[in-house]
């Protein structure tokens, strides 16, 4: 749990980066990189044909709905 200092409201809106916010940004960047690395194989797989057919049907319904509106 992240503790918020009692003077947090007084510093709200200031634009300078604190050591904590920089550390959080670096942690999030590393987490994002690690997740992209973890899921690369999954994302690179082709979309299953059944899912392609479903998306095509949904697109056709959407197009028909726009034409009738």
């Amino acid at each position: 749990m992240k503790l918020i200092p009692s003077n947090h409201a007084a510093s709200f809106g200031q634009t300078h980066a604190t050591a904590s916010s920089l550390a959080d940004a670096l942690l999030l960047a590393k987490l994002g990189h690690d997740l992209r690395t973890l899921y690369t194989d999954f994302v690179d797989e082709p979309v299953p044909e059944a899912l392609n057919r479903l998306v095509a049907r949904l697109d056709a319904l959407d197009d028909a709905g726009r034409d009738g509106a």
Side-chain angles (χ1 to χ4, degrees):
M1 181 167 80
K2 186 174 181 180
L3 297 176
I4 300 173
S6 60
N7 65 349
H8 178 70
S11 65
F12 184 77
Q14 292 182 353
T15 58
H16 63 76
T18 63
S20 176
S21 64
L22 181 58
D24 288 349
L26 291 173
L27 179 64
L28 288 173
K30 177 161 179 27
L31 180 61
H33 177 267
D34 291 350
L35 285 171
R36 281 188 292 279
T37 301
L38 179 67
Y39 286 104
T40 296
D41 292 339
F42 175 75
V43 171
D44 290 342
E45 289 183 14
V47 176
E49 188 54 39
L51 186 56
N52 278 332
R53 287 191 304 269
L54 177 61
V55 169
R57 288 177 57 197
L58 291 172
D59 282 343
L61 286 172
D62 188 43
D63 290 343
R66 274 193 229 141
D67 292 340

